[in-house]
Amino acid sequence: MTIERPSDERKAAAPAENPNDAALASFGYTQELKRTLRFFSLFAISFSIVSISTGIFLNYGFAINQFGGASIWTWPIAAAGQIVMALLIAELSTKIPLAGYAYQWGARLVGSTYGWYTGFFGLLYMSITGGAIILLGATPLLFEAMGISPPDGVLLGVAMAILLFTVVINIVGVQLAARVNNTAVVAEIIGIVLLAVTVVVAFGLYTGDGGGSVANLTNTSGTAGSGIGHFVLAGLLGIYTMVGFELSADLTEEAIDSQRAVPRGVLMGVIGSAILGMLALICFTVAMPDLGAAQESDAPIVTIADFYLPSPLVKAFIVVVAFSMIALVIANQAAQARLMYSMGRDNMLPFSRHFRLVNERTKTPMRALIVGGVVSVGFMVYGFLQTDSFATLIGATSIAPYVVYLLIVGSYMRRRSTLAAAPGAFNLGRWGVPLMVVGLVWIIAALLILTIPADFHGAVKVVAAATVLAVLWHVLVLRGRIKRGEAGVAKFTNSARRA
């Protein structure tokens, strides 16, 4: 099947009205998306996609079963690794300020074929994330708050409806999606941090039998076993959680003053998440009245809160956490559609002519949003049918972004010394090279943790099967398009950047 390449008229750069548009024009694109996002909205996207409430609610039980209460001390290690990644991405986002971050960075630094694979793994990550978070997090929490235990089929149907609702929010416009995510910052803080602080204050005032203990912070009694291997596995608490902060860079073409706002949004998103997440983990762990009961619980955070607080108050917090998860998916669907849009305008996808269309009224890539939502629903249904939905979906949605990080850092290490820094933009200077080395070591370590244990082989199979599809598309169709000049981008050069 042959799909038309965007016309020269479409690709020609129109006269730019501001420096952001001039930067876009230097790469050969016209400004089609509407620039409305300021720093706080970009920070909110990074913060809400990381979503410490989602990560802690979903993964705290796994961590304490691996290494007891002391498992929370793996969080700062993961945070340090991801802050290094955030520094590298913040700098790179100023040098190639384009929507479709993973695809564009890989394609401009190495070539269109390389960009196809970085973009593909970015799409895979975002496509799985939407279905996983709604199915395993938001929907069960909402039913729990209502005191209902629905049949599996009902839970799946409601999850699908909620996910499609997130698509509708994005179709209405990026401003509405941004407002929801701005609100989600407050929801995150109320839903997990305020709950944690309230619980630890209640623990301090508690005078009955039982109750928590500061000794929980050094308790290494896991149910899965003991030893350094389980401490390493407990690190998945942070490795699973602190991903996605880079997706605010995917909305660069909708950012005002993108050269400053995007890197700040990326950095503040991950740093804020790291600090507030650690605070919440310490509070919950200190207040934990019974480690054994928490380890047996499907929702240990709820079990801890229920011990100290009235049930209606706990349920109110749960609703807020569920909202923050839904906001995460709204931001995720927005970024997914922008990556599809970016790859579509370069004819890298099947039916590219549809994905590159921007709705004249809403200024959103509507068809990309709809297809992205349908694909996410497909992954949701697939995960639902597996024996272990959690390991399959959460594992796969963690492996894919670290593959993207690996590909990005690898290409940036190769080309950073040849790239001119954007005037007045964020720049690592001489710290860039050592940070790239540290980042590369960290990514490889995280990928080993995510793929070697037998429990995660189901997730590996999902990523491997998707990779086979990516290779087939490239070999059978895309390679010919790129060779004929019908798809892809020109290799990135300093002269192109400064044009």
Side-chain angles (χ1 to χ4, degrees):
M1 178 176 58
T2 302
I3 297 175
E4 293 182 359
R5 179 80 165 134
S7 65
D8 292 339
E9 290 78 10
R10 179 181 177 80
K11 297 285 286 184
E17 297 179 359
N18 60 55
N20 295 142
D21 293 352
L24 182 61
S26 72
F27 289 99
Y29 300 118
T30 58
Q31 182 69 40
E32 294 184 288
L33 303 172
K34 187 176 181 181
R35 292 191 182 274
T36 58
L37 302 179
R38 299 183 183 275
F39 160 69
F40 186 80
S41 294
L42 294 163
F43 157 72
I45 290 167
S46 290
F47 188 80
S48 65
I49 287 183
V50 171
S51 187
I52 54 176
S53 60
T54 302
I56 291 174
F57 262 80
L58 290 179
N59 302 311
Y60 184 70
F62 175 85
I64 61 176
N65 273 284
Q66 292 296 326
F67 206 69
S71 62
I72 68 170
W73 300 113
T74 62
W75 182 274
I77 299 172
Q82 291 302 82
I83 288 172
V84 169
M85 283 304 308
L87 287 166
L88 296 173
I89 287 170
E91 182 182 67
L92 184 52
S93 71
T94 68
K95 297 182 178 182
I96 309 178
L98 300 173
Y101 75 113
Y103 158 66
Q104 289 286 356
W105 295 348
R108 302 278 174 176
L109 293 173
V110 179
S112 297
T113 294
Y114 192 89
W116 157 247
Y117 287 103
T118 57
F120 171 80
F121 284 111
L123 282 178
L124 181 65
Y125 157 57
M126 288 181 268
S127 297
I128 300 173
T129 294
I133 298 305
I134 297 298
L135 177 67
L136 302 174
T139 307
L141 283 177
L142 287 174
F143 278 117
E144 183 169 338
M146 294 184 289
I148 299 173
S149 298
D152 288 346
V154 172
L155 188 146
L156 176 62
V158 173
M160 292 170 65
I162 294 174
L163 194 147
L164 294 175
F165 169 74
T166 68
V167 174
V168 172
I169 292 292
N170 276 290
I171 287 175
V172 172
V174 69
Q175 287 179 296
L176 177 59
R179 290 191 189 102
V180 173
N181 276 289
N182 293 349
T183 306
V185 173
V186 179
E188 285 279 351
I189 295 172
I190 293 175
I192 196 71
V193 179
L194 182 58
L195 174 60
V197 171
T198 302
V199 165
V200 84
V201 169
F203 152 72
L205 299 174
Y206 183 72
T207 57
D209 295 331
S213 171
V214 175
N216 287 338
L217 295 174
T218 56
N219 189 331
T220 61
S221 302
T223 62
S226 59
I228 188 64
H230 291 283
F231 176 78
V232 171
L233 283 176
L236 292 173
L237 173 63
I239 290 173
Y240 276 156
T241 302
M242 281 182 280
V243 294
F245 53 85
E246 72 279 5
L247 296 190
S248 59
D250 201 15
L251 279 75
T252 293
E253 291 180 28
E254 290 155 278
I256 297 172
D257 192 17
S258 65
Q259 299 288 60
R260 293 176 176 81
V262 170
R264 287 174 60 208
V266 168
L267 288 170
M268 293 306 296
V270 70
I271 292 171
S273 297
I275 294 171
L276 293 178
M278 192 71 234
L279 172 63
L281 287 169
I282 291 173
C283 291
F284 283 124
T285 303
V286 167
M288 183 164 46
D290 186 337
L291 175 59
Q295 289 170 330
E296 292 176 1
S297 173
D298 291 333
I301 298 299
V302 176
T303 300
I304 295 168
D306 275 334
F307 184 86
Y308 298 101
L309 305 178
S311 181
L313 180 59
V314 174
K315 289 181 178 180
F317 276 116
I318 289 173
V319 170
V320 174
V321 170
F323 168 75
S324 70
M325 292 182 181
I326 294 170
L328 178 165
V329 177
I330 290 172
N332 177 81
Q333 297 301 109
Q336 177 193 33
R338 271 59 181 186
L339 181 50
M340 294 173 71
Y341 160 78
S342 181
M343 296 176 77
R345 70 183 173 185
D346 284 345
N347 204 25
M348 299 292 286
L349 296 172
F351 310 108
S352 286
R353 66 181 181 275
H354 296 289
F355 296 128
R356 65 177 172 246
L357 292 178
V358 174
N359 183 273
E360 289 296 327
R361 185 174 63 84
T362 65
K363 295 298 181 182
T364 57
M366 186 179 297
R367 295 185 184 182
L369 283 164
I370 293 171
V371 173
V374 171
V375 172
S376 293
V377 167
F379 277 111
M380 175 191 288
V381 174
Y382 173 81
F384 175 81
L385 296 175
Q386 302 309 299
T387 304
D388 189 343
S389 298
F390 179 87
T392 300
L393 291 178
I394 299 299
T397 200
S398 298
I399 293 171
Y402 283 94
V403 172
V404 174
Y405 297 150
L406 180 64
L407 293 173
I408 288 173
V409 172
S411 60
Y412 197 33
M413 287 182 74
R414 180 172 173 262
R415 293 297 310 279
R416 180 179 183 269
S417 62
T418 68
L419 305 182
F426 180 79
N427 183 39
L428 293 173
R430 66 186 183 195
W431 290 100
V433 173
L435 285 173
M436 283 190 285
V437 173
V438 171
L440 191 62
V441 172
W442 162 246
I443 295 163
I444 293 172
L447 281 170
L448 291 175
I449 297 170
L450 287 163
T451 55
I452 290 177
D455 289 349
F456 308 135
H457 288 178
V460 173
K461 290 177 182 177
V462 172
V463 176
T467 302
V468 170
L469 294 177
V471 172
L472 288 173
W473 169 251
H474 172 247
V475 170
L476 298 178
V477 180
L478 187 57
R479 182 173 59 179
R481 289 186 186 178
I482 294 172
K483 187 175 181 179
R484 294 189 299 270
E486 297 172 358
V489 301
K491 196 170 182 179
F492 181 65
T493 63
N494 281 335
S495 59
R497 177 64 185 85
R498 290 194 295 263

